[in-house]
Amino acid sequence: MRLLPSSIRGRLIFLEQLSVLPAMGLLGLFWAKERDLAMAHAREEAMQLAAGAAEIQEHMAIGAWHMLMTLAQLPEVRDRDPAACSAAFARLLKENSYYANILATDPDGRMFASGAPVDAVVELGDRKHFLDAVRDRTLSAGEYIVSRTVHEPAFPYAYPVLDDDGRVLGVLIAAVRLRSLSETLSGSRYPAGTMLGIADHAGVR
């Protein structure tokens, strides 16, 4: 089998082409290494962005927990006083605009107090955050909802009010306004073109 061209000119061209193969191979390896480094850098940057967004959400959850835990100790909440509770919740809403509503229900999920004006009786006994708070006797994070009291997208947290024997007297709920969470994230210093999404336990973003 003939491997080289028969003419001298053809052989020279073949040898020239053969001589550039190592350089092309090294160039290919360089490009591959640069691509891998760029992808690793992008992954690291994405992880840092996600960690920053998670930290913002964690601070909101801790804030809701502390607020609800404090409210659970108030006499008007433990006595289920609708007027006094609604007034206290309304004051908190004025000071914390990122909450869509703060409210309280009886042990069956029937709302008896609300910081935001509500015209109708609202039942929340089927909501995940309410059911988890009653079952686990501690702070519960919910899922994406459209609030039944203020009719806007929100992410709720619930906390049970317990008597001295551990029985549920009621449940306190603070619904974080998703618009305010979006504004908080968009106001952070992320690179131009960055897209951040938050999904609940069911994968709803």
Side-chain angles (χ1 to χ4, degrees), residues 46-86:
M47 289 176 64
Q48 291 177 357
L49 292 176
E55 186 175 355
I56 290 172
Q57 190 177 17
E58 183 180 13
H59 285 316
M60 284 192 167
I62 291 173
W65 181 24
H66 288 169
M67 180 186 69
L68 295 177
M69 190 166 51
T70 302
L71 288 175
Q73 306 306 315
L74 296 180
E76 55 264 46
V77 172
R78 301 183 70 80
D79 293 339
R80 289 194 293 193
D81 183 329
C85 287
S86 294

mmCIF file of all heavy atoms in Angstrom, residues 46-86:
data_model
loop_
_atom_site.group_PDB
_atom_site.id
_atom_site.type_symbol
_atom_site.label_atom_id
_atom_site.label_comp_id
_atom_site.label_asym_id
_atom_site.label_seq_id
_atom_site.Cartn_x
_atom_site.Cartn_y
_atom_site.Cartn_z
ATOM 1 N N ALA A 46 -22.442 30.045 39.721
ATOM 2 C CA ALA A 46 -23.859 29.718 39.891
ATOM 3 C C ALA A 46 -24.147 29.236 41.306
ATOM 4 O O ALA A 46 -25.177 29.586 41.896
ATOM 5 C CB ALA A 46 -24.264 28.651 38.874
ATOM 6 N N MET A 47 -23.230 28.436 41.872
ATOM 7 C CA MET A 47 -23.413 27.955 43.237
ATOM 8 C C MET A 47 -23.375 29.110 44.236
ATOM 9 O O MET A 47 -24.150 29.137 45.203
ATOM 10 C CB MET A 47 -22.334 26.926 43.572
ATOM 11 C CG MET A 47 -22.500 25.598 42.837
ATOM 12 S SD MET A 47 -21.152 24.432 43.175
ATOM 13 C CE MET A 47 -21.381 24.139 44.936
ATOM 14 N N GLN A 48 -22.506 30.076 44.001
ATOM 15 C CA GLN A 48 -22.425 31.237 44.889
ATOM 16 C C GLN A 48 -23.695 32.070 44.797
ATOM 17 O O GLN A 48 -24.204 32.559 45.820
ATOM 18 C CB GLN A 48 -21.203 32.079 44.542
ATOM 19 C CG GLN A 48 -19.874 31.411 44.884
ATOM 20 C CD GLN A 48 -18.681 32.244 44.470
ATOM 21 O OE1 GLN A 48 -18.820 33.301 43.867
ATOM 22 N NE2 GLN A 48 -17.486 31.761 44.788
ATOM 23 N N LEU A 49 -24.232 32.239 43.582
ATOM 24 C CA LEU A 49 -25.471 32.997 43.401
ATOM 25 C C LEU A 49 -26.634 32.297 44.106
ATOM 26 O O LEU A 49 -27.447 32.931 44.778
ATOM 27 C CB LEU A 49 -25.782 33.159 41.911
ATOM 28 C CG LEU A 49 -24.826 34.039 41.112
ATOM 29 C CD1 LEU A 49 -25.203 34.011 39.636
ATOM 30 C CD2 LEU A 49 -24.841 35.468 41.631
ATOM 31 N N ALA A 50 -26.706 30.971 43.936
ATOM 32 C CA ALA A 50 -27.778 30.205 44.575
ATOM 33 C C ALA A 50 -27.664 30.271 46.091
ATOM 34 O O ALA A 50 -28.667 30.395 46.805
ATOM 35 C CB ALA A 50 -27.742 28.753 44.096
ATOM 36 N N ALA A 51 -26.427 30.208 46.603
ATOM 37 C CA ALA A 51 -26.225 30.287 48.053
ATOM 38 C C ALA A 51 -26.648 31.652 48.587
ATOM 39 O O ALA A 51 -27.240 31.752 49.665
ATOM 40 C CB ALA A 51 -24.761 30.016 48.392
ATOM 41 N N GLY A 52 -26.377 32.702 47.826
ATOM 42 C CA GLY A 52 -26.790 34.042 48.234
ATOM 43 C C GLY A 52 -28.303 34.176 48.288
ATOM 44 O O GLY A 52 -28.859 34.750 49.228
ATOM 45 N N ALA A 53 -28.986 33.640 47.264
ATOM 46 C CA ALA A 53 -30.447 33.681 47.247
ATOM 47 C C ALA A 53 -31.030 32.851 48.378
ATOM 48 O O ALA A 53 -32.009 33.244 49.023
ATOM 49 C CB ALA A 53 -30.964 33.166 45.897
ATOM 50 N N ALA A 54 -30.423 31.696 48.649
ATOM 51 C CA ALA A 54 -30.892 30.841 49.745
ATOM 52 C C ALA A 54 -30.728 31.533 51.090
ATOM 53 O O ALA A 54 -31.574 31.391 51.985
ATOM 54 C CB ALA A 54 -30.136 29.516 49.736
ATOM 55 N N GLU A 55 -29.654 32.304 51.228
ATOM 56 C CA GLU A 55 -29.423 33.015 52.491
ATOM 57 C C GLU A 55 -30.483 34.085 52.717
ATOM 58 O O GLU A 55 -30.970 34.271 53.841
ATOM 59 C CB GLU A 55 -28.033 33.648 52.478
ATOM 60 C CG GLU A 55 -27.640 34.278 53.805
ATOM 61 C CD GLU A 55 -26.214 34.783 53.805
ATOM 62 O OE1 GLU A 55 -25.505 34.567 52.804
ATOM 63 O OE2 GLU A 55 -25.810 35.406 54.802
ATOM 64 N N ILE A 56 -30.879 34.774 51.646
ATOM 65 C CA ILE A 56 -31.942 35.774 51.748
ATOM 66 C C ILE A 56 -33.238 35.116 52.195
ATOM 67 O O ILE A 56 -33.936 35.593 53.102
ATOM 68 C CB ILE A 56 -32.137 36.494 50.397
ATOM 69 C CG1 ILE A 56 -30.930 37.391 50.104
ATOM 70 C CG2 ILE A 56 -33.416 37.326 50.411
ATOM 71 C CD1 ILE A 56 -30.937 38.000 48.725
ATOM 72 N N GLN A 57 -33.576 33.982 51.568
ATOM 73 C CA GLN A 57 -34.808 33.282 51.937
ATOM 74 C C GLN A 57 -34.729 32.746 53.370
ATOM 75 O O GLN A 57 -35.721 32.763 54.102
ATOM 76 C CB GLN A 57 -35.072 32.144 50.951
ATOM 77 C CG GLN A 57 -36.453 31.523 51.127
ATOM 78 C CD GLN A 57 -36.725 30.442 50.108
ATOM 79 O OE1 GLN A 57 -35.815 29.925 49.469
ATOM 80 N NE2 GLN A 57 -37.983 30.091 49.953
ATOM 81 N N GLU A 58 -33.554 32.289 53.778
ATOM 82 C CA GLU A 58 -33.394 31.777 55.139
ATOM 83 C C GLU A 58 -33.625 32.884 56.167
ATOM 84 O O GLU A 58 -34.260 32.661 57.202
ATOM 85 C CB GLU A 58 -32.001 31.174 55.312
ATOM 86 C CG GLU A 58 -31.779 30.563 56.689
ATOM 87 C CD GLU A 58 -30.389 29.969 56.844
ATOM 88 O OE1 GLU A 58 -29.522 30.245 55.984
ATOM 89 O OE2 GLU A 58 -30.171 29.230 57.814
ATOM 90 N N HIS A 59 -33.112 34.082 55.873
ATOM 91 C CA HIS A 59 -33.325 35.207 56.788
ATOM 92 C C HIS A 59 -34.813 35.523 56.914
ATOM 93 O O HIS A 59 -35.298 35.844 58.006
ATOM 94 C CB HIS A 59 -32.562 36.442 56.307
ATOM 95 C CG HIS A 59 -31.081 36.378 56.552
ATOM 96 N ND1 HIS A 59 -30.543 35.930 57.742
ATOM 97 C CD2 HIS A 59 -30.026 36.699 55.771
ATOM 98 C CE1 HIS A 59 -29.228 35.996 57.693
ATOM 99 N NE2 HIS A 59 -28.883 36.453 56.495
ATOM 100 N N MET A 60 -35.549 35.449 55.806
ATOM 101 C CA MET A 60 -36.989 35.695 55.853
ATOM 102 C C MET A 60 -37.691 34.643 56.699
ATOM 103 O O MET A 60 -38.593 34.953 57.483
ATOM 104 C CB MET A 60 -37.574 35.714 54.437
ATOM 105 C CG MET A 60 -37.276 36.972 53.670
ATOM 106 S SD MET A 60 -38.265 37.100 52.155
ATOM 107 C CE MET A 60 -37.976 38.816 51.707
ATOM 108 N N ALA A 61 -37.280 33.382 56.541
ATOM 109 C CA ALA A 61 -37.890 32.301 57.319
ATOM 110 C C ALA A 61 -37.608 32.482 58.812
ATOM 111 O O ALA A 61 -38.506 32.312 59.652
ATOM 112 C CB ALA A 61 -37.366 30.945 56.842
ATOM 113 N N ILE A 62 -36.374 32.846 59.155
ATOM 114 C CA ILE A 62 -36.019 33.047 60.563
ATOM 115 C C ILE A 62 -36.795 34.231 61.136
ATOM 116 O O ILE A 62 -37.287 34.192 62.273
ATOM 117 C CB ILE A 62 -34.500 33.261 60.703
ATOM 118 C CG1 ILE A 62 -33.759 31.958 60.373
ATOM 119 C CG2 ILE A 62 -34.150 33.731 62.114
ATOM 120 C CD1 ILE A 62 -32.252 32.108 60.313
ATOM 121 N N GLY A 63 -36.935 35.290 60.332
ATOM 122 C CA GLY A 63 -37.708 36.446 60.781
ATOM 123 C C GLY A 63 -39.156 36.090 61.047
ATOM 124 O O GLY A 63 -39.740 36.517 62.057
ATOM 125 N N ALA A 64 -39.748 35.304 60.145
ATOM 126 C CA ALA A 64 -41.142 34.873 60.332
ATOM 127 C C ALA A 64 -41.270 34.003 61.573
ATOM 128 O O ALA A 64 -42.230 34.127 62.344
ATOM 129 C CB ALA A 64 -41.623 34.118 59.094
ATOM 130 N N TRP A 65 -40.310 33.126 61.780
ATOM 131 C CA TRP A 65 -40.332 32.221 62.936
ATOM 132 C C TRP A 65 -40.305 33.010 64.240
ATOM 133 O O TRP A 65 -41.122 32.789 65.138
ATOM 134 C CB TRP A 65 -39.142 31.264 62.851
ATOM 135 C CG TRP A 65 -39.070 30.258 63.973
ATOM 136 C CD1 TRP A 65 -40.103 29.812 64.751
ATOM 137 C CD2 TRP A 65 -37.896 29.587 64.427
ATOM 138 N NE1 TRP A 65 -39.646 28.877 65.662
ATOM 139 C CE2 TRP A 65 -38.285 28.732 65.491
ATOM 140 C CE3 TRP A 65 -36.564 29.618 64.048
ATOM 141 C CZ2 TRP A 65 -37.392 27.920 66.167
ATOM 142 C CZ3 TRP A 65 -35.670 28.808 64.719
ATOM 143 C CH2 TRP A 65 -36.074 27.973 65.764
ATOM 144 N N HIS A 66 -39.372 33.966 64.343
ATOM 145 C CA HIS A 66 -39.256 34.763 65.564
ATOM 146 C C HIS A 66 -40.523 35.582 65.805
ATOM 147 O O HIS A 66 -40.996 35.685 66.948
ATOM 148 C CB HIS A 66 -38.037 35.679 65.478
ATOM 149 C CG HIS A 66 -36.743 34.939 65.597
ATOM 150 N ND1 HIS A 66 -35.522 35.530 65.327
ATOM 151 C CD2 HIS A 66 -36.456 33.665 65.953
ATOM 152 C CE1 HIS A 66 -34.548 34.657 65.511
ATOM 153 N NE2 HIS A 66 -35.096 33.519 65.885
ATOM 154 N N MET A 67 -41.060 36.162 64.745
ATOM 155 C CA MET A 67 -42.258 36.971 64.905
ATOM 156 C C MET A 67 -43.438 36.117 65.366
ATOM 157 O O MET A 67 -44.151 36.474 66.316
ATOM 158 C CB MET A 67 -42.616 37.664 63.588
ATOM 159 C CG MET A 67 -43.871 38.532 63.683
ATOM 160 S SD MET A 67 -44.377 39.193 62.080
ATOM 161 C CE MET A 67 -44.926 37.683 61.257
ATOM 162 N N LEU A 68 -43.672 34.979 64.719
ATOM 163 C CA LEU A 68 -44.801 34.125 65.075
ATOM 164 C C LEU A 68 -44.625 33.530 66.473
ATOM 165 O O LEU A 68 -45.602 33.405 67.230
ATOM 166 C CB LEU A 68 -44.960 33.013 64.040
ATOM 167 C CG LEU A 68 -45.344 33.462 62.621
ATOM 168 C CD1 LEU A 68 -45.393 32.270 61.671
ATOM 169 C CD2 LEU A 68 -46.672 34.205 62.619
ATOM 170 N N MET A 69 -43.416 33.167 66.818
ATOM 171 C CA MET A 69 -43.153 32.610 68.130
ATOM 172 C C MET A 69 -43.446 33.643 69.225
ATOM 173 O O MET A 69 -44.000 33.317 70.282
ATOM 174 C CB MET A 69 -41.691 32.142 68.215
ATOM 175 C CG MET A 69 -41.354 31.318 69.444
ATOM 176 S SD MET A 69 -39.750 30.469 69.265
ATOM 177 C CE MET A 69 -38.674 31.827 68.771
ATOM 178 N N THR A 70 -43.110 34.911 68.955
ATOM 179 C CA THR A 70 -43.403 35.987 69.903
ATOM 180 C C THR A 70 -44.898 36.231 70.003
ATOM 181 O O THR A 70 -45.447 36.381 71.109
ATOM 182 C CB THR A 70 -42.676 37.281 69.485
ATOM 183 O OG1 THR A 70 -41.266 37.036 69.429
ATOM 184 C CG2 THR A 70 -42.954 38.404 70.469
ATOM 185 N N LEU A 71 -45.573 36.268 68.850
ATOM 186 C CA LEU A 71 -47.025 36.482 68.851
ATOM 187 C C LEU A 71 -47.760 35.385 69.608
ATOM 188 O O LEU A 71 -48.780 35.642 70.258
ATOM 189 C CB LEU A 71 -47.544 36.548 67.413
ATOM 190 C CG LEU A 71 -47.192 37.802 66.598
ATOM 191 C CD1 LEU A 71 -47.676 37.642 65.163
ATOM 192 C CD2 LEU A 71 -47.795 39.049 67.238
ATOM 193 N N ALA A 72 -47.239 34.167 69.530
ATOM 194 C CA ALA A 72 -47.910 33.031 70.184
ATOM 195 C C ALA A 72 -47.965 33.180 71.694
ATOM 196 O O ALA A 72 -48.764 32.501 72.357
ATOM 197 C CB ALA A 72 -47.205 31.727 69.807
ATOM 198 N N GLN A 73 -47.134 34.070 72.255
ATOM 199 C CA GLN A 73 -47.125 34.259 73.708
ATOM 200 C C GLN A 73 -48.060 35.385 74.160
ATOM 201 O O GLN A 73 -48.282 35.546 75.367
ATOM 202 C CB GLN A 73 -45.695 34.564 74.181
ATOM 203 C CG GLN A 73 -44.654 33.542 73.749
ATOM 204 C CD GLN A 73 -45.025 32.119 74.139
ATOM 205 O OE1 GLN A 73 -45.460 31.871 75.267
ATOM 206 N NE2 GLN A 73 -44.864 31.185 73.208
ATOM 207 N N LEU A 74 -48.597 36.156 73.228
ATOM 208 C CA LEU A 74 -49.448 37.286 73.604
ATOM 209 C C LEU A 74 -50.779 36.802 74.178
ATOM 210 O O LEU A 74 -51.389 35.874 73.643
ATOM 211 C CB LEU A 74 -49.710 38.181 72.388
ATOM 212 C CG LEU A 74 -48.500 38.881 71.765
ATOM 213 C CD1 LEU A 74 -48.943 39.718 70.575
ATOM 214 C CD2 LEU A 74 -47.776 39.747 72.798
ATOM 215 N N PRO A 75 -51.258 37.440 75.251
ATOM 216 C CA PRO A 75 -52.535 37.037 75.852
ATOM 217 C C PRO A 75 -53.696 37.092 74.866
ATOM 218 O O PRO A 75 -54.557 36.204 74.857
ATOM 219 C CB PRO A 75 -52.722 38.048 76.989
ATOM 220 C CG PRO A 75 -51.344 38.512 77.323
ATOM 221 C CD PRO A 75 -50.587 38.507 76.037
ATOM 222 N N GLU A 76 -53.752 38.141 74.017
ATOM 223 C CA GLU A 76 -54.863 38.255 73.074
ATOM 224 C C GLU A 76 -54.875 37.121 72.047
ATOM 225 O O GLU A 76 -55.942 36.711 71.580
ATOM 226 C CB GLU A 76 -54.856 39.615 72.376
ATOM 227 C CG GLU A 76 -53.552 39.972 71.669
ATOM 228 C CD GLU A 76 -52.645 40.841 72.531
ATOM 229 O OE1 GLU A 76 -52.486 40.499 73.713
ATOM 230 O OE2 GLU A 76 -52.104 41.836 72.000
ATOM 231 N N VAL A 77 -53.678 36.614 71.721
ATOM 232 C CA VAL A 77 -53.613 35.482 70.791
ATOM 233 C C VAL A 77 -54.050 34.203 71.496
ATOM 234 O O VAL A 77 -54.842 33.414 70.962
ATOM 235 C CB VAL A 77 -52.187 35.334 70.222
ATOM 236 C CG1 VAL A 77 -52.061 34.044 69.407
ATOM 237 C CG2 VAL A 77 -51.829 36.545 69.349
ATOM 238 N N ARG A 78 -53.563 33.987 72.693
ATOM 239 C CA ARG A 78 -53.910 32.773 73.438
ATOM 240 C C ARG A 78 -55.394 32.759 73.822
ATOM 241 O O ARG A 78 -56.002 31.690 73.933
ATOM 242 C CB ARG A 78 -53.019 32.662 74.676
ATOM 243 C CG ARG A 78 -51.523 32.619 74.346
ATOM 244 C CD ARG A 78 -50.657 32.426 75.567
ATOM 245 N NE ARG A 78 -50.808 31.064 76.104
ATOM 246 C CZ ARG A 78 -50.202 29.998 75.608
ATOM 247 N NH1 ARG A 78 -49.405 30.105 74.552
ATOM 248 N NH2 ARG A 78 -50.392 28.818 76.157
ATOM 249 N N ASP A 79 -55.965 33.966 74.009
ATOM 250 C CA ASP A 79 -57.399 34.051 74.326
ATOM 251 C C ASP A 79 -58.266 34.094 73.066
ATOM 252 O O ASP A 79 -59.493 34.149 73.167
ATOM 253 C CB ASP A 79 -57.675 35.305 75.169
ATOM 254 C CG ASP A 79 -57.036 35.224 76.553
ATOM 255 O OD1 ASP A 79 -56.741 34.091 76.994
ATOM 256 O OD2 ASP A 79 -56.819 36.285 77.157
ATOM 257 N N ARG A 80 -57.635 34.123 71.918
ATOM 258 C CA ARG A 80 -58.329 34.192 70.623
ATOM 259 C C ARG A 80 -59.290 35.382 70.562
ATOM 260 O O ARG A 80 -60.465 35.252 70.236
ATOM 261 C CB ARG A 80 -59.053 32.883 70.318
ATOM 262 C CG ARG A 80 -58.105 31.762 69.995
ATOM 263 C CD ARG A 80 -58.780 30.565 69.383
ATOM 264 N NE ARG A 80 -59.680 29.881 70.294
ATOM 265 C CZ ARG A 80 -60.198 28.665 70.060
ATOM 266 N NH1 ARG A 80 -59.894 28.038 68.945
ATOM 267 N NH2 ARG A 80 -60.995 28.103 70.929
ATOM 268 N N ASP A 81 -58.740 36.548 70.862
ATOM 269 C CA ASP A 81 -59.503 37.791 70.812
ATOM 270 C C ASP A 81 -59.405 38.363 69.394
ATOM 271 O O ASP A 81 -58.365 38.905 69.014
ATOM 272 C CB ASP A 81 -58.921 38.781 71.828
ATOM 273 C CG ASP A 81 -59.699 40.076 71.910
ATOM 274 O OD1 ASP A 81 -60.282 40.505 70.892
ATOM 275 O OD2 ASP A 81 -59.739 40.666 73.005
ATOM 276 N N PRO A 82 -60.462 38.270 68.593
ATOM 277 C CA PRO A 82 -60.379 38.675 67.182
ATOM 278 C C PRO A 82 -59.976 40.130 66.979
ATOM 279 O O PRO A 82 -59.090 40.424 66.162
ATOM 280 C CB PRO A 82 -61.799 38.421 66.658
ATOM 281 C CG PRO A 82 -62.362 37.409 67.583
ATOM 282 C CD PRO A 82 -61.783 37.710 68.916
ATOM 283 N N ALA A 83 -60.606 41.048 67.718
ATOM 284 C CA ALA A 83 -60.332 42.469 67.496
ATOM 285 C C ALA A 83 -58.911 42.827 67.902
ATOM 286 O O ALA A 83 -58.194 43.522 67.157
ATOM 287 C CB ALA A 83 -61.341 43.315 68.279
ATOM 288 N N ALA A 84 -58.488 42.376 69.072
ATOM 289 C CA ALA A 84 -57.144 42.707 69.554
ATOM 290 C C ALA A 84 -56.071 42.084 68.664
ATOM 291 O O ALA A 84 -55.054 42.722 68.352
ATOM 292 C CB ALA A 84 -56.981 42.237 70.997
ATOM 293 N N CYS A 85 -56.283 40.839 68.247
ATOM 294 C CA CYS A 85 -55.312 40.165 67.366
ATOM 295 C C CYS A 85 -55.221 40.859 66.016
ATOM 296 O O CYS A 85 -54.124 41.122 65.507
ATOM 297 C CB CYS A 85 -55.704 38.705 67.176
ATOM 298 S SG CYS A 85 -55.418 37.660 68.613
ATOM 299 N N SER A 86 -56.370 41.179 65.430
ATOM 300 C CA SER A 86 -56.373 41.832 64.115
ATOM 301 C C SER A 86 -55.666 43.175 64.172
ATOM 302 O O SER A 86 -54.921 43.542 63.251
ATOM 303 C CB SER A 86 -57.815 42.011 63.616
ATOM 304 O OG SER A 86 -58.419 40.759 63.372
#
